[in-house]
Amino acid sequence: TQLLEQSPQFLSIQEGENLTVYCNSSSVFSSLQWYRQEPGEGPVLLVTVVTGGEVKKLKRLTFQFGDARKDSSLHITAAQPGDTGLYLCAGLPISSSNTGKLIFGQGTTLQVKP
Amino acid sequence: DTGVSQDPRHKITKRGQNVTFRCDPISEHNRLYWYRQTLGQGPEFLTYFQNEAQLEKSRLLSDRFSAERPKGSFSTLEIQRTEQGDSAMYLCASTRGLEQYFGPGTRLTVT
């Protein structure tokens, strides 16, 4: 069974603090995507990483794909209350490259207090 | 491009009833996926279509579940004889490449 372990599961911080969310697996992924989900809504795609060691930035969010393409991290600088939400990592295993079937982590619930 | 839409957004039903959900993908997206998400968990794959062909089904999809995509455009997911364990958010996503775009989901509550 291919699993994506996401940590931490819950994070409550003050506005202005930095944070990092981790996504780890023993499986190799051909690509990995990060989503943000609001309560009662579907996940919204933030970024896709495909190359080992790749780093992508989206304003205050920095995404990194591990060199071996087994792990990824999301770093948020100077968190804002608007960053509050559920962050999900989703990997496309090499074995599922043809199907596009994503494996999701359990999610990280982030609360940023003003 | 109006995004992926799902209908209804919420459905409350009694145990034993049948329910049907609809998903309208982004136009020209040839692949359509159904996922199920329970509280505090990430989405889990249920099934997917390439055009009108259903190519893979998860073991999570019991015989009570059936999905169709008759003309390769919209898709329906039907659950027969619903059980309380079916209560979840049902998500649809579409793609024509690598990135999957999700709809807002249908929240099913079985009482």
Side-chain angles (χ1 to χ4, degrees):
Chain A
T1 303
Q2 293 155 327
L3 293 174
L4 262 178
E5 298 289 337
Q6 199 170 331
S7 62
Q9 279 193 279
F10 301 98
L11 201 50
S12 182
I13 60 173
Q14 293 294 135
E15 181 177 0
E17 293 184 5
N18 301 334
L19 67 117
T20 303
V21 177
Y22 299 94
C23 196
N24 296 290
S25 178
S26 57
S27 302
V28 178
F29 296 99
S30 59
S31 67
L32 193 137
Q33 301 175 5
W34 284 91
Y35 292 84
R36 180 166 166 262
Q37 186 176 23
E38 300 277 359
E41 299 293 331
V44 175
L45 181 65
L46 296 175
V47 78
T48 300
V49 286
V50 296
T51 306
E54 183 176 4
V55 177
K56 282 192 174 179
K57 292 191 176 184
L58 186 65
K59 297 183 182 178
R60 294 174 293 98
L61 278 59
T62 302
F63 305 87
Q64 185 163 8
F65 202 12
D67 290 342
R69 293 185 292 153
K70 293 182 178 181
D71 55 270
S72 181
S73 63
L74 156 61
H75 182 78
I76 301 179
T77 303
Q80 304 293 312
D83 295 328
T84 293
L86 177 67
Y87 289 82
L88 294 159
C89 61
L92 180 62
I94 295 286
S95 59
S96 298
S97 295
N98 289 337
T99 67
K101 186 173 72 175
L102 293 175
I103 305 295
F104 279 84
Q106 312 97 305
T108 295
T109 300
L110 171 64
Q111 181 188 44
V112 182
K113 293 179 278 190
Chain B
D1 184 351
T2 57
V4 179
S5 61
Q6 291 186 246
D7 184 70
R9 294 291 311 276
H10 303 275
K11 179 70 177 178
I12 300 174
T13 191
K14 292 185 178 180
R15 189 176 53 187
Q17 298 294 306
N18 300 342
V19 294
T20 300
F21 310 141
R22 177 179 169 126
C23 170
D24 286 88
I26 294 171
S27 58
E28 298 179 359
H29 277 191
N30 60 341
R31 285 189 175 180
L32 186 150
Y33 298 81
W34 284 99
Y35 292 86
R36 181 170 69 187
Q37 185 179 25
T38 53
L39 206 60
Q41 300 295 320
E44 293 177 291
F45 169 82
L46 292 178
T47 188
Y48 93 99
F49 293 84
Q50 178 146 329
N51 300 314
E52 66 274 11
Q54 186 175 17
L55 297 183
E56 186 169 339
K57 293 193 291 186
S58 164
R59 287 171 296 172
L60 293 174
L61 217 62
S62 76
D63 292 344
R64 297 183 297 104
F65 288 70
S66 62
E68 294 182 342
R69 194 182 183 199
K71 297 181 180 179
S73 56
F74 73 91
S75 176
T76 58
L77 177 67
E78 181 184 16
I79 309 174
Q80 296 183 327
R81 305 181 303 281
T82 52
E83 300 173 357
Q84 287 187 319
D86 297 331
S87 295
M89 173 79 93
Y90 290 84
L91 294 163
C92 172
S94 71
T95 183
R96 64 175 180 180
L98 182 59
E99 297 172 335
Q100 293 186 23
Y101 295 90
F102 283 80
T106 294
R107 167 71 65 189
L108 172 66
T109 302
V110 182
T111 62

